[in-house]
Amino acid sequence: MNSTFDSVRQSFNRWVASVAGVVAHVADAFAKPRTITIDGAEDGRYRISGEERVLSMVDGAFASDDGRPVDSLLRGARIRLNLPPGMFLFRELDFPSKAMDFLDGVLRAQIDRLTPWSPAQAVFGHSAPQSAGLDRIKLVMAAAPLARIEPIVQALSSAGANSLLVSAQREESEAAPIAVHDYAFRRERTTVEAQGRLRAALIAALAFAGVSAAASGLVGAWFDARTEEIAVETRQWRQAQMSGVRDPDIMLHKRKAETPLLVLVMEQLARILPDDTYLREFQLNDGKIEIAGVSADATRLVGMLERSPTFSRATFSAPTTHSANEPGDQFHIQAQVNARYGPGE
């Protein structure tokens, strides 16, 4: 049974992740962030292209040398970060032209062979492949240890950047930088948020379905019990008829006149209770109802019941509580029922 539960849970998590990913991609497609280019230098300083501002890393965060706040500049921006050549290891490589179809896998194999890092420990990329003749291509690979890049990435993520493209500057000033990694911060944050909201919504829907089923079971049980009571009273009445005694007949009609009308009570509750309130328990005994359930704002329910001519003396029969996994307040309320079966109703 545990394996079945794990399989269902994994399928559920995969579905949530898939839907959240689609939501994040759609949101990212409609976003139009401004682009900021930052050039890193060998001395550990970072210059913003087009501005007279220089940034540096202080305690794991970017700070401006002129003291002005940096987060407002970086928040929501698409960052193009060009890091200096000294942070990277460059290798000129050539391959058969057919390697173009699976170039990423070929480079991963070269990382293990040509650098001191494994592919999981490095960021890497390559220049645009060029023909080398004899059905071969050549390119320049750039690689750097991930541990050296991660603090910079984390600082930009904490500053609220939309995304980040990390590139390696080359010694040749005219050569284009080599992109080594792309980080979609906003998409990742949106994915996590969407996953949380999807799980909460689905759990709430399942809880509501379970509560509805429980409520149906309670009402059905009450009807069964009431049917049995009526059957007993009918037998008593027939026995009294056969013995010539009319008292049971009088008692039966008197009890009917003093008993609240269930249909009227349920109809009034359905009209009074707001849409964000649902019941887990319902009891009707001796002219009183006791209800329990969950509501977005339980404090208003007593007043709603009191304003109805069907109910009076409504009070909380237990303290109102709130659980982290519930969509509202858990309440217990009791009230007197004024509606009757009598002929004057």
Side-chain angles (χ1 to χ4, degrees), residues 8-229:
V8 172
R9 183 178 60 182
Q10 291 172 6
S11 299
F12 173 77
N13 289 336
R14 284 195 298 269
W15 181 85
V16 169
S18 176
V19 174
V22 171
V23 171
H25 276 280
V26 171
D28 197 43
F30 282 97
K32 296 181 179 179
R34 67 189 187 284
T35 300
I36 296 177
T37 300
I38 301 177
D39 295 316
E42 298 289 352
D43 59 1
R45 298 162 72 83
Y46 302 85
R47 291 170 174 79
I48 300 176
S49 178
E51 292 194 22
E52 297 296 328
R53 297 185 68 176
V54 178
L55 308 180
S56 57
M57 291 279 290
V58 179
D59 296 329
F62 278 101
S64 179
D65 287 3
D66 58 12
R68 287 187 290 172
V70 175
D71 284 3
S72 58
L73 173 69
L74 302 178
R75 186 177 297 112
R78 167 72 170 171
I79 308 296
R80 296 185 180 275
L81 178 62
N82 299 320
L83 295 178
M87 295 182 65
F88 295 88
L89 181 66
F90 295 92
R91 290 288 185 270
E92 291 187 2
L93 303 173
D94 69 279
F95 304 105
S97 298
K98 293 181 180 180
M100 282 288 294
D101 296 332
F102 44 91
L103 194 55
D104 185 71
V106 173
L107 289 179
R108 285 182 177 275
Q110 296 299 318
I111 291 292
D112 273 329
R113 188 174 68 87
L114 300 176
T115 75
W117 319 294
S118 68
Q121 297 172 330
V123 293
F124 59 92
H126 62 85
S127 63
Q130 297 179 349
S131 175
L134 300 178
D135 200 25
R136 298 186 69 84
I137 58 172
K138 62 180 180 179
L139 54 82
V140 176
M141 182 184 72
L146 180 61
R148 192 172 184 184
I149 305 297
E150 277 185 331
I152 304 172
V153 174
Q154 183 58 44
L156 291 171
S157 176
S158 300
N162 177 288
S163 57
L164 169 65
L165 177 64
V166 180
S167 299
Q169 295 175 329
R170 298 160 73 177
E171 294 288 355
E172 305 84 359
S173 58
E174 70 279 1
I178 298 175
V180 295
H181 208 72
D182 198 356
Y183 298 85
F185 301 135
R186 182 177 183 276
R187 187 184 305 167
E188 293 171 0
R189 290 191 292 265
T190 303
T191 300
V192 172
E193 292 172 1
Q195 286 178 342
R197 291 173 182 172
L198 277 171
R199 285 194 176 94
L202 288 172
I203 290 172
L206 291 173
F208 179 77
V211 168
S212 299
S216 299
L218 289 171
V219 173
W222 188 91
F223 273 115
D224 291 342
R226 184 63 182 143
T227 300
E228 180 63 26
E229 290 178 6

Side-chain angles (χ1 to χ4, degrees), residues 1 6 19 38 55 71 195 198 258 274 289 297 311 314 317:
M1 184 171 180
D6 290 340
V19 174
I38 301 177
L55 308 180
D71 284 3
Q195 286 178 342
L198 277 171
E258 294 176 351
I289 62 164
D297 183 7
F311 306 104
S317 58

Side-chain angles (χ1 to χ4, degrees), residues 287-337:
K288 292 183 180 180
I289 62 164
E290 292 187 4
I291 58 175
V294 177
S295 176
D297 183 7
T299 57
R300 59 187 168 161
L301 300 182
V302 168
M304 291 179 174
L305 292 173
E306 286 285 348
R307 287 192 291 272
S308 168
T310 306
F311 306 104
S312 61
R313 297 198 294 276
T315 59
F316 286 102
S317 58
T320 299
T321 60
H322 185 84
S323 300
N325 59 347
E326 292 284 1
D329 302 321
Q330 301 179 36
F331 64 86
H332 294 76
I333 296 176
Q334 64 180 14
Q336 184 73 34
V337 181

Side-chain angles (χ1 to χ4, degrees), residues 224-240 248 252 255:
D224 291 342
R226 184 63 182 143
T227 300
E228 180 63 26
E229 290 178 6
I230 293 174
V232 172
E233 291 171 352
T234 301
R235 286 195 298 270
Q236 292 175 349
W237 181 81
R238 288 176 178 172
Q239 290 172 0
L252 177 60
R255 182 171 182 182

